[in-house]
Amino acid sequence: MKTQATAIALICIASTAMADSAGLRQTEMYMPHHDRNASVTIWYPNSGGGDHERVAENPVFKGVDAVINADIQSGAHPVVMFSHGMGGTSRAQAWLASALADRGAIVVSVDHAHSTWRDFNMAEGVKHWTRAADLTVALDQLLADPDFEGHIDPSRIMAAGFSYGGWTALSLGGMTGDLAGIVETCTDYIDTMEACDMLLSDKVNMQGIDPNAWNQSYADARITHVAAIDPGFVWGLQASNVADLVPDVQMIGFGAGKDRMSATNFDDSGLADLLPDAKFMRFDPAFHFTAMPLCKPGAEDILIAENDDPVCTDPVGTDRAAVHGAIIQAVADELGL
């Protein structure tokens, strides 16, 4: 009898853990501006059903638990439209998306054409307005999806993103670009600022982009909040570029001194001074890739052997899990979760 009771208790505990994991739908959405589909993940608060899986796991990164095609919890939930970094994927910040969904948000992540890990073309990917269009189309389709009807709170729709995706989030929130400003900055700091040599190369030719396309507004009027995690393209901006940015903005930066990525340094660029009402979080010790998932033992050796970026080598003293936790809490607080 005791053994049976213990077994029942363990089953109940396991069932509760499954129910507590966020719901996840993996789908594709047609992007007319690319004339192709994009992979989209939708995380949401789970009320039961579905299949429990470990997702976003690989030999380098730890994954997260999800319940595939679970039922969505009743009620209206805030929405986060999330944009990954250049060369990233929607899986890279699954730690954030799943945690926010656990707390009651719907999080939509799009794999952007031309700027994902397996679909990379910098000359096309640098056209930042296509990424904003990806999230606008995804939001259109989410709002039209009968499965989510009645489950969306239109007063809390956040654009969020990491690195280049941080710029996408700011753009959706009303910030505009200044092509001449970023080209001048890259020209002046081509030897020290990350990616500037590639951006100004003949292959990418950022300086040859139509300034009207780069500089115009791609704001989505439905966006009420922005969270930009170590965002790119933060140099060469002026007060006019932030004049129409939504007031509820969270800026998150990583590192100090040699650990601070120059291209995403919103302090040295002067952007922070243009946003006196924004909330700022700065983590030190940390570096740009502290926003990547938690790494498995041996991950650094794998990356070295593959001659890949040292995305698991945080500065000494960094607690990546604690940084993630603080970011989750800050975004959750912004949305009232």
Side-chain angles (χ1 to χ4, degrees), residues 37-57:
N37 287 345
S39 297
V40 178
T41 59
I42 305 174
W43 294 87
Y44 55 92
N46 152 36
S47 67
D51 299 312
H52 188 267
E53 289 187 14
R54 188 78 169 168
V55 300
E57 180 112 10

Side-chain angles (χ1 to χ4, degrees), residues 14-336:
S15 298
T16 300
M18 289 174 63
D20 286 345
S21 298
L24 175 62
R25 296 188 185 179
Q26 297 169 306
T27 187
E28 290 191 342
M29 294 182 181
Y30 178 67
M31 300 294 167
H33 48 288
H34 293 302
D35 192 24
R36 57 186 276 192
N37 287 345
S39 297
V40 178
T41 59
I42 305 174
W43 294 87
Y44 55 92
N46 152 36
S47 67
D51 299 312
H52 188 267
E53 289 187 14
R54 188 78 169 168
V55 300
E57 180 112 10
N58 61 39
V60 172
F61 296 125
K62 296 179 181 179
V64 296
D65 291 323
V67 184
I68 307 299
N69 297 326
D71 297 326
I72 187 169
Q73 285 182 10
S74 61
H77 308 290
V79 173
V80 179
M81 305 300 299
F82 192 86
S83 177
H84 63 74
M86 178 66 79
T89 69
S90 58
R91 297 184 300 278
Q93 278 73 50
W95 59 267
L96 176 58
S98 62
L100 294 175
D102 280 339
R103 295 178 180 225
I106 297 169
V107 184
V108 180
S109 300
V110 178
D111 281 352
H112 297 293
H114 309 301
S115 59
T116 63
W117 179 53
R118 291 184 176 177
D119 175 18
F120 189 81
N121 180 340
M122 180 71 94
E124 292 298 317
V126 77
K127 296 175 181 177
H128 64 87
W129 55 92
T130 66
R131 291 169 136 254
D134 288 344
L135 293 192
T136 289
V137 170
L139 181 55
D140 290 341
Q141 296 194 39
L142 178 75
L143 293 172
D145 189 331
D147 290 339
F148 290 93
E149 185 177 1
H151 293 297
I152 294 171
D153 179 357
S155 70
R156 293 181 292 168
I157 300 181
M158 171 183 280
F162 164 60
S163 193
Y164 193 23
W167 171 263
T168 307
L170 289 162
S171 176
L172 275 182
M175 181 177 284
T176 58
D178 186 322
L179 182 64
I182 189 63
V183 167
E184 181 180 358
T185 299
C186 261
T187 301
D188 291 344
Y189 297 102
I190 193 168
D191 294 327
T192 57
M193 187 171 289
E194 302 83 1
C196 277
D197 55 346
M198 182 184 296
L199 291 170
L200 297 182
S201 68
D202 291 340
K203 184 176 181 179
V204 177
N205 190 29
M206 183 176 68
Q207 64 272 29
I209 290 175
D210 178 3
N212 292 320
W214 186 279
N215 296 345
Q216 78 177 68
S217 175
Y218 297 99
D220 188 317
R222 297 167 294 187
I223 298 300
T224 61
H225 297 69
V226 168
I229 303 171
D230 227 29
F233 292 119
V234 294
W235 290 79
L237 299 171
Q238 305 174 51
S240 58
N241 297 115
V242 304
D244 295 323
L245 184 62
V246 296
D248 291 309
V249 175
Q250 176 82 62
M251 302 287 288
I252 298 168
F254 296 123
K258 63 181 179 59
D259 294 325
R260 186 79 182 265
M261 182 176 280
S262 178
T264 63
N265 192 329
F266 50 69
D267 292 305
D268 287 355
S269 71
L271 178 57
D273 293 333
L274 298 177
L275 302 174
D277 298 323
K279 299 182 181 69
F280 288 89
M281 298 183 71
R282 300 170 179 86
F283 293 97
D284 179 33
F287 81 139
H288 188 64
F289 292 114
T290 300
M292 296 296 282
L294 299 180
C295 297
K296 292 181 175 180
E300 292 182 65
D301 293 335
I302 293 173
L303 294 169
I304 291 171
E306 295 181 353
N307 196 30
D308 209 336
D309 293 331
V311 296
C312 289
T313 310
D314 289 300
V316 174
T318 304
D319 185 337
R320 187 175 289 201
V323 171
H324 287 187
I327 293 171
I328 291 165
Q329 187 62 54
V331 177
D333 287 346
E334 279 293 299
L335 293 171

